[in-house]
Every structure is written in C-alpha cells, then in structure tokens.
Amino acid sequence: DVKVTQSSRYLVKRTGEKVFLECVQDMDHENMFWYRQDPGLGLRLIYFSYDVKMKEKGDIPEGYSVSREKKERFSLILESASTNQTSMYLCASGGGGAYEQFFGPGTRLTVL
Amino acid sequence: GENVEQHPSTLSVQEGDSAVIKCTYSDSASNYFPWYKQELGKGPQLIIDIRSNVGEKKDQRIAVTLNKTAKHFSLHITETQPEDSAVYFCAASGGRNQGGKLIFGQGTELSVKP
C-alpha cells in the first residue's frame, strides 16, 4: 500500500511565524504535490515537484515556498504565517507519467 | 488553463437511492478524469477513474460516464449506503504540457440517511 505521511495532523501557529509542513512518501514516486483545501473551493494546488530539487508553482503559490532535497520528502514552508493561511493542507504523490495521486491525511493549520 | 466545475455542493439521499454528481471541464486536451472520496479526518482516496478513450466505466455500485463532446463527466452511486457519506471530488488532468497535474472540482458533500 502506498503511504503518504504528514508530520502533523493539527498545528497552531502565530502570525509571522515560519511554518514547516513535512510530507514523506514511501513509493519512490517522482511527483509530489501540496494542496490547500477550503470549504467550497475544493483542492487548490500550491506547488508541485517532478524531481529532486525541482519545483513548479501551482495556482496559489503566493506566501508559500517548497523544498525537495530527497525524492521521498517534500516540504511546504510558510515564510511568515498569516491568518488567511489557516486551512487544511494536503500532500500527495504520484508516479512519473501517471496521473493517479495518493494523498496524506492532511494537516489542519490554524494561524492566530 | 483547465477549470473544473462540480455540482451539487451538497446532496442528501435516502439509503438505497441513487446519487449523481456532475462535473464539467474546460480544456479539451484533458484526458484523465478521476473521482476521489474523502471521509471525515482523512485524505482523499481514489475510487474510480476514466480516460478519454472510454465513455463509461463501472465498479460494483459506482460508475462514471464521460461525454467528451460536451466536456462533462458524472459519478453515479447506486444502492447508496450510510458509509457512502463523504465529500466527493472530481478532477481533470491538466491538459497539454501539464504533466501529472490534476485540477479539482469544488467538492460535493453526500449524506446518506438510513
């Protein structure tokens, strides 16, 4: 079974803090994705990566950055957290050339 | 770029009835259309998918239909059960030169009443 794990299920941070969300997959997938999920808006793509050290912006990259130093790990970074970044964050991975994505359980981030 | 619209946003049915969720997409180059189910407290999980060279696909109580001309696809769940209650998302592949990207619909919260 594909397993995608996320470092925290719940996280509470203060405005202005630097926040790291970690995602690890165990299927040797080339592709990894970060989404945020908000009611009525579905899943919106923040950043994705097709290979180690490669990253591409998704639809809503503003206020976020990412890091992929190892194939199995994809980190989402909020350089200076703001209240409008309170959301559910979902990580996913997928094989190269294939569209199917496997999701982690999500991290619910609250920024106070 | 690709845009996916999903309806309805909420759907309530009686156990045993059928449920239908509809999606439309904008990019005619999209060729892969998955459906995900998200249960409370969990990440979305793929339940069925269809590629653009097929018009219909069925897996037990769930089926997906695709109309490429009209650019819409639908999820059909028959004989609904309480455990079908969840949020369902449709998605479309990102189209030409978009690699493994998926564009998701807004989600449908399905409630199956016993």
Side-chain angles (χ1 to χ4, degrees), chain A residues 29 33 74 77 107:
Chain A
H29 282 161
F33 307 84
F74 193 34
I77 304 155
T107 295

Side-chain angles (χ1 to χ4, degrees), chain A residues 9 31 33 35 37-38 40-43 45 48 50 57-59 88 90 98-106, chain B residues 31-32 36 38 41-46 49 51 87 89 93-95 98-107:
Chain A
R9 294 301 304 272
N31 303 338
F33 307 84
Y35 296 89
Q37 180 179 6
D38 300 289
L41 298 178
L43 279 64
L45 183 63
F48 59 106
Y50 288 137
K57 292 180 180 179
D59 300 317
M88 170 69 84
L90 289 162
Y99 285 114
E100 183 177 355
Q101 295 182 17
F102 299 86
F103 284 85
Chain B
N31 58 10
Y32 174 71
Y36 284 82
Q38 185 179 28
K42 296 183 179 180
Q45 185 172 13
L46 178 72
D49 56 15
R51 296 190 182 271
V87 178
F89 291 98
S93 57
Q98 292 294 305
K101 277 180 64 176
L102 293 174
I103 312 301
F104 286 84
Q106 295 81 2

Side-chain angles (χ1 to χ4, degrees), chain A residues 41-99:
Chain A
L41 298 178
L43 279 64
R44 292 181 293 165
L45 183 63
I46 305 171
Y47 266 97
F48 59 106
S49 169
Y50 288 137
D51 202 350
V52 175
K53 296 192 186 295
M54 292 183 66
K55 60 186 179 184
E56 291 198 35
K57 292 180 180 179
D59 300 317
I60 51 165
E62 296 79 18
Y64 304 94
S65 62
V66 290
S67 172
R68 193 166 181 200
E69 296 296 318
K70 293 185 177 181
K71 191 175 185 179
E72 67 272 18
R73 188 179 296 269
F74 193 34
S75 303
L76 180 69
I77 304 155
L78 287 67
E79 294 289 342
S80 178
S82 63
T83 55
N84 62 12
Q85 292 178 310
T86 291
S87 187
M88 170 69 84
Y89 290 88
L90 289 162
C91 175
S93 74
Y99 285 114

Side-chain angles (χ1 to χ4, degrees), chain B:
Chain B
E2 176 67 277
N3 183 51
V4 177
E5 296 287 332
Q6 181 173 347
H7 298 279
S9 56
T10 60
L11 179 60
S12 182
V13 300
Q14 287 295 133
E15 182 177 359
D17 287 351
S18 295
V20 180
I21 303 170
K22 298 183 179 182
C23 289
T24 60
Y25 62 98
S26 60
D27 190 341
S28 56
S30 293
N31 58 10
Y32 174 71
F33 307 92
W35 286 88
Y36 284 82
K37 176 184 180 182
Q38 185 179 28
E39 297 175 334
L40 204 59
K42 296 183 179 180
Q45 185 172 13
L46 178 72
I47 55 171
I48 195 167
D49 56 15
I50 191 168
R51 296 190 182 271
S52 57
N53 58 348
V54 175
E56 184 174 357
K57 185 176 178 180
K58 196 171 181 179
D59 182 5
Q60 297 183 347
R61 294 186 298 108
I62 60 172
V64 58
T65 58
L66 171 65
N67 184 325
K68 282 177 58 181
T69 304
K71 286 191 261 184
H72 66 70
F73 56 113
S74 301
L75 177 72
H76 304 252
I77 306 174
T78 58
E79 300 171 23
T80 53
Q81 300 167 3
E83 52 264 38
D84 294 329
S85 295
V87 178
Y88 291 80
F89 291 98
C90 65
S93 57
R96 206 168 283 118
N97 300 324
Q98 292 294 305
K101 277 180 64 176
L102 293 174
I103 312 301
F104 286 84
Q106 295 81 2
T108 296
E109 185 172 2
L110 172 65
S111 175
V112 180
K113 299 188 184 308

